[in-house]
Amino acid sequence: MDLSDLDWLQRFPPLSDLAPNERAPLIGGAVAMQLPAGATVFAPDQPCGYFIMVCEGQVRVYQLDADGNEIVLYRLGPGSMCILTTLALLADTHYSAFAVTETPVHAIGLPAATFHDLIGRSARFRSFVFNAQAARMADLMRVIQHVAFASIESRLAARLLALAANGHDVAITHQQLAAEIGSAREVVSRQLKCFEKRGWVSLGRGRVELRNAAPLRAAAQPAR
């Protein structure tokens, strides 16, 4: 990624028209990051050295429960920032979760000192950070609410529909699905078998084919 090109700023519109005295430290401090798929971006108890802005690719942020089961908190895509990174920088604390690249990722990292300088000097940069933080917090609260109050059937149906948004076949294992909805693999496998018996899905090795989306959509609706 060519930092002299400044094209990456177009991925973050609120930053593209910063005043010159605010843009200079942003550009001067920016560090290009290129990570392959499967790379660890951060892990629990690691210090946070950079404010990371994703330009291309996708990052999965997750935690592990007491039994070592993964639960996906959220994903970062182009134009997004990580709520845990912002919290770690603002509170001067370490990370409390894992982040792994699911695809090759191009990102921009702002050193902690640059981040704090811009937070202090630029109202537009502060607004950019806090608005993104509020949006990501809302996403995280929806995940918590879904895990806490929705049934396994509803959570699994909703996730299958989301993953199959562009087709009817989802390439995913039962373990990965369990991580997506914050459950155990055995529970997910049992529920998928129920879906299959009802004719809603067809199961194969490492894939789920959606056969009848209408009852899945009905099951995905939260109870009233």
Side-chain angles (χ1 to χ4, degrees):
M1 186 181 298
D2 185 2
L3 283 179
S4 64
D5 191 343
L6 302 189
D7 280 345
W8 64 268
L9 279 177
Q10 303 308 313
R11 303 293 181 100
F12 309 94
L15 300 182
S16 60
D17 58 350
L18 287 176
N21 68 316
E22 297 170 348
R23 178 183 287 227
L26 174 67
I27 301 305
V31 176
M33 297 178 169
Q34 298 191 34
L35 300 170
T40 297
V41 182
F42 57 75
D45 299 324
Q46 286 185 345
C48 178
Y50 289 90
F51 178 67
I52 301 172
M53 300 181 288
V54 178
C55 297
E56 297 176 6
Q58 186 164 271
V59 178
R60 182 176 79 258
V61 181
Y62 65 94
Q63 285 186 324
L64 298 177
D65 66 16
D67 297 320
N69 297 312
E70 178 182 325
I71 177 171
V72 177
L73 301 178
Y74 53 85
R75 284 179 168 83
L76 304 173
S80 62
M81 290 135 292
C82 176
I83 184 174
L84 294 180
T85 294
T86 307
L87 288 174
L89 286 170
L90 292 175
D92 192 25
T93 59
H94 290 182
Y95 280 111
S96 58
F98 297 87
V100 175
T101 57
E102 295 188 316
T103 67
V105 167
H106 290 179
I108 293 294
L110 294 182
T114 302
F115 171 81
H116 288 296
D117 176 58
L118 285 167
I119 283 287
R121 81 160 70 194
S122 172
R124 185 177 290 273
F125 184 79
R126 282 196 305 275
S127 177
F128 164 72
V129 171
F130 294 143
N131 285 340
Q133 193 78 344
R136 182 61 66 188
M137 181 66 79
D139 290 341
L140 189 56
M141 290 304 296
R142 280 192 289 270
V143 171
I144 293 171
Q145 185 176 37
H146 207 183
V147 170
F149 301 112
S151 68
I152 290 293
E153 179 180 275
S154 175
R155 286 151 58 191
L156 184 56
R159 197 62 195 140
L160 285 172
L161 289 166
L163 292 171
N166 297 320
H168 298 291
D169 196 69
V170 182
I172 194 167
T173 66
H174 294 193
Q175 183 63 58
Q176 290 168 330
L177 268 174
E180 292 287 336
I181 67 171
S183 185
R185 181 188 59 77
E186 296 79 7
V187 174
V188 167
S189 295
R190 285 197 299 270
Q191 190 62 59
L192 284 172
K193 284 292 186 183
C194 289
F195 286 176
E196 187 174 46
K197 288 179 181 178
R198 297 170 189 169
W200 299 0
V201 303
S202 178
L203 303 178
R205 187 175 181 84
R207 70 168 187 83
V208 180
E209 180 186 355
L210 274 60
R211 303 291 299 276
N212 192 346
L216 283 171
R217 283 193 289 270
Q221 297 302 311
R224 296 182 183 278

